[in-house]
Amino acid sequence: MLAQGQGTIGVSATLVRGGTSKCWLFDVADIHGRGASTEEVLLAAFGARDHNQIDGVGGATSTTSKAAIVAHSYEPGVDIDYTFAQVGVGVERVEWGSNCGNCATAVGLYAVQSGLVRPRGDRTRVRMRNTNSAARIDAVVATPGARFRPTGDAVVPGVSSPGVPVGLEFLNPVGGRLLPTGRAVDTLEASGARARATLVDAGAPAALVDAASLGLTGAESVPEFAERLPGLLGLRRAAAIGMGLSTPDGPVSHAVPKLGLVGPATDYTTTGGARITAGEFDVSVRMASMHAPHPVIGLTSMVAVAAAATVPGSTVRAHAPAKSGEIRIGTAAGVVSASLSLARDGGLTGVTLHRSARVIARADIFVPAAREPAAAR
Amino acid sequence: MLAQGQGTIGVSATLVRGGTSKCWLFDVADIHGRGASTEEVLLAAFGARDHNQIDGVGGATSTTSKAAIVAHSYEPGVDIDYTFAQVGVGVERVEWGSNCGNCATAVGLYAVQSGLVRPRGDRTRVRMRNTNSAARIDAVVATPGARFRPTGDAVVPGVSSPGVPVGLEFLNPVGGRLLPTGRAVDTLEASGARARATLVDAGAPAALVDAASLGLTGAESVPEFAERLPGLLGLRRAAAIGMGLSTPDGPVSHAVPKLGLVGPATDYTTTGGARITAGEFDVSVRMASMHAPHPVIGLTSMVAVAAAATVPGSTVRAHAPAKSGEIRIGTAAGVVSASLSLARDGGLTGVTLHRSARVIARADIFVPAAREPAAAR
């Protein structure tokens, strides 16, 4: 914290890349009780008002306008509580309704860097609770020789630069019922289109459509998928109703359920031009989010795909039997992999995603003070 | 400077908004001699390799991927030398060929904040030399009570947040001949189109076309101008040849000459929806740069328009006689103004642009060290 003269408060923060996102991380002690609410501080710090965030530290896109508030946890068995904030771009609003797996990765690395969690051995486990979703997630951070390292050699699709290897473990990711309809496969119908799909609720609710039942492969390019997507939104609505997320007359959230195409592994070329052979992965997946193709795959969607692999007869299981303990997913940007932890009865107890993170900068952000005092959040 | 463990170097830098750009400013002592060339440090710090600059502090657009290296000047009568760097987005290249007026504004504020120039009175003059172009520019920074203030109440079109008032004075902006053709007005012809234009060389070479001679007003919206622009590129080529910037068979730079439409003040609505009346400004201007309409107006183009106002008979002078000492320019984003300094013979000795700047953050950037040593720049 720095005093910077009248009308401005200095707030310490750390910029960390987690996977394919940039997140500004704030220690709760640095952002609370600063004469403005946390939301006001974030909006002013990011410059949310302008669509290009030109007067703040935001990056003016959904993946670069993220923050998290990090605190020591008082919950037994938990090290860190973190609260994720999606800061508006061109709108003075913060969305607090969801978690972000990429920011969770960033929080894990930050917890070790900042000393909130002490390095223990070559891999340090950071036990985290996301306060937005109440999800328990562990980050396993590479700390060779029990020392914090700011960078490493782990690379994830969508980022060409390497970072510290971080395993992100979603513990007991099945919140309610893994199969909300009770069936491994449902038939979705809308406007004359019919498709086979597995409807799962793990990580996030997702409709994982058998691409072949639509005459597709699951290995479409991003533009090809974008072209077909409008015709699939009716099927998504049918899935939302089937999963109890909406009613025939009700609206369907843009965020969930996630919609995905699933198909067999096949040789293909990534968006970046790399050639991938069928032997390098198990299952082709193309996910859509917010009515647009995801360039890679969201982390909560990865959990859903991994969970579906544990279900006999599901659209994913045909290509990727979970018993190997690992699933390699071919996305438009490249191959991502997840490890599964199974109970003796085959039930899913955890999904670990292999990610990377890097500390980019440590900063004092100068936040213009609000003109009038406002209630603290 | 911080040590952050093996493989990473910590480099101190300050993020400042200058006008409608964000610039990362580096003290020369913090970036030179760090075991890597300045160019390598900038590319790694910004994450230039990825088109979204996700692994660095860059903002992934041309206006948010800018840096300047700031140093004490040993030139008599000059306080600060600065070198502007346009850092690549998705390409590991730094362009050192041009100056940037918005970053000059940022450097002026930074010079006072960092103590390189001590505040003197309510307005502190920072005498700067841009090493890319050898241009002399003064920044006059508001320092009420002879104290640095991190923010203020000056607003410029294109940014909704206020900042510190900074006057940017281009000294003796006419490098060669103000009128390269020797005429106040030329007639440009291309593909059957004819237009009256003033060709000036101040700030940047510019062709300032009388909008009425093309059946236009100079108050077109950005989309309207974008639609007409392809048909005007032949006239731009004719201007480039007339000014000696190209030959009939040679290529024409995308950067210069700037092309602008000039017309009388008229009531209009800005891109942001604000209503402007004719009484609020002197001359309507719509500039194009890099074959696209500029959303506001570039600072070097502002200098060119201001300089043209000093020329009897020019396309600008009809609407904005320079003798008032000020010119108010109506752009698609709003009104910007410039002050002119004239010699007794009416010759132009300086143009002052009224800008704003704000210190956004002070940071230690953690730069991944290059795998192999490289020659210093």
Side-chain angles (χ1 to χ4, degrees), chain A residues 4 8 17 20 22 49-50 53-58 148 150 160-162 358-366 368, chain B residues 4 8 17 20 22 49-50 53-56 58 148 150 160-161 358-366 368 371:
Chain A
Q4 260 287 314
T8 298
R17 175 180 66 77
T20 52
K22 275 194 274 203
R49 188 191 300 179
D50 283 306
Q53 295 187 335
I54 204 75
D55 198 55
V57 297
F148 169 75
S160 60
S161 302
R358 193 176 78 78
V359 180
I360 296 173
R362 172 91 183 153
D364 288 301
I365 303 174
F366 305 123
Chain B
Q4 260 286 312
T8 299
R17 175 180 65 78
T20 52
K22 276 195 274 204
R49 187 191 300 179
D50 283 305
Q53 295 188 334
I54 204 74
D55 198 55
F148 170 75
S160 60
S161 302
R358 193 175 79 78
V359 180
I360 296 173
R362 172 91 184 154
D364 288 300
I365 303 174
F366 306 122
R371 306 269 152 118

Side-chain angles (χ1 to χ4, degrees), chain A:
Chain A
M1 184 199 321
L2 287 185
Q4 260 287 314
Q6 197 181 331
T8 298
I9 55 176
V11 179
S12 296
T14 301
L15 178 62
V16 181
R17 175 180 66 77
T20 52
S21 293
K22 275 194 274 203
C23 308
W24 279 99
L25 305 182
F26 297 83
D27 190 287
V28 66
D30 289 329
I31 197 168
H32 275 198
R34 305 303 308 278
S37 72
T38 297
E39 186 152 324
E40 286 172 328
V41 171
L42 291 177
L43 291 171
F46 276 66
R49 188 191 300 179
D50 283 306
H51 68 90
N52 50 13
Q53 295 187 335
I54 204 75
D55 198 55
V57 297
T61 67
S62 65
T63 55
T64 59
S65 189
K66 294 171 182 268
I69 320 299
V70 181
H72 167 79
S73 181
Y74 292 97
E75 181 102 349
V78 179
D79 302 308
I80 298 286
D81 286 348
Y82 75 90
T83 303
F84 169 65
Q86 181 76 48
V87 181
V89 177
V91 52
E92 294 196 280
R93 190 173 63 222
V94 176
E95 290 180 21
W96 302 96
S98 64
N99 186 15
C100 168
N102 278 322
C103 282
T105 313
V107 169
L109 184 62
Y110 170 77
V112 179
Q113 187 224 17
S114 66
L116 282 165
V117 172
R118 196 172 306 173
R120 288 180 292 264
D122 289 344
R123 300 194 309 162
T124 299
R125 180 171 296 268
V126 179
R127 299 169 299 175
M128 305 187 292
R129 184 179 63 167
N130 171 244
T131 67
N132 310 86
S133 64
R136 272 279 290 110
I137 304 177
D138 281 4
V140 178
V141 179
T143 49
R147 288 179 54 194
F148 169 75
R149 297 285 284 273
T151 191
D153 57 7
V155 173
V156 292
V159 185
S160 60
S161 302
V164 177
V166 177
L168 202 62
E169 300 189 11
F170 289 77
L171 307 176
N172 299 310
V174 183
R177 293 201 298 162
L178 177 58
L179 301 173
T181 67
R183 288 178 293 272
V185 170
D186 282 82
T187 300
L188 304 176
E189 294 196 58
S191 320
R194 285 168 62 102
R196 298 176 66 250
T198 294
L199 308 182
V200 288
D201 186 5
L208 301 172
V209 175
D210 174 28
S213 71
L214 290 167
L216 299 171
T217 65
E220 282 71 20
S221 71
V222 170
E224 285 167 352
F225 187 22
E227 195 178 320
R228 293 298 300 260
L229 192 53
L232 305 179
L233 295 180
L235 298 174
R236 181 171 174 277
R237 162 173 278 279
I241 296 166
M243 300 174 86
L245 297 170
S246 184
T247 58
D249 301 325
V252 178
S253 155
H254 280 212
V256 291
K258 311 292 184 190
L259 179 74
L261 298 177
V262 176
T266 180
D267 296 354
Y268 74 106
T269 302
T270 68
T271 309
R275 191 73 192 148
I276 307 277
T277 63
E280 297 174 55
F281 66 108
D282 301 308
V283 57
S284 296
V285 176
R286 296 294 179 270
M287 296 300 304
S289 180
M290 306 305 282
H291 291 195
H294 195 293
V296 195
I297 183 173
L299 300 198
T300 55
S301 294
M302 278 185 76
V303 173
V305 170
T310 68
V311 176
S314 77
T315 54
V316 176
R317 175 70 162 244
H319 311 297
K323 51 180 180 262
S324 73
E326 191 187 10
I327 179 168
R328 299 168 301 168
I329 301 170
T331 78
V335 176
V336 295
S337 67
S339 301
L340 295 92
S341 302
L342 303 177
R344 289 211 181 159
D345 65 358
L348 185 67
T349 58
V351 175
T352 301
L353 311 183
H354 307 298
R355 308 298 292 165
S356 87
R358 193 176 78 78
V359 180
I360 296 173
R362 172 91 183 153
D364 288 301
I365 303 174
F366 305 123
V367 179
R371 306 269 151 120
E372 13 190 326
R377 182 172 184 266

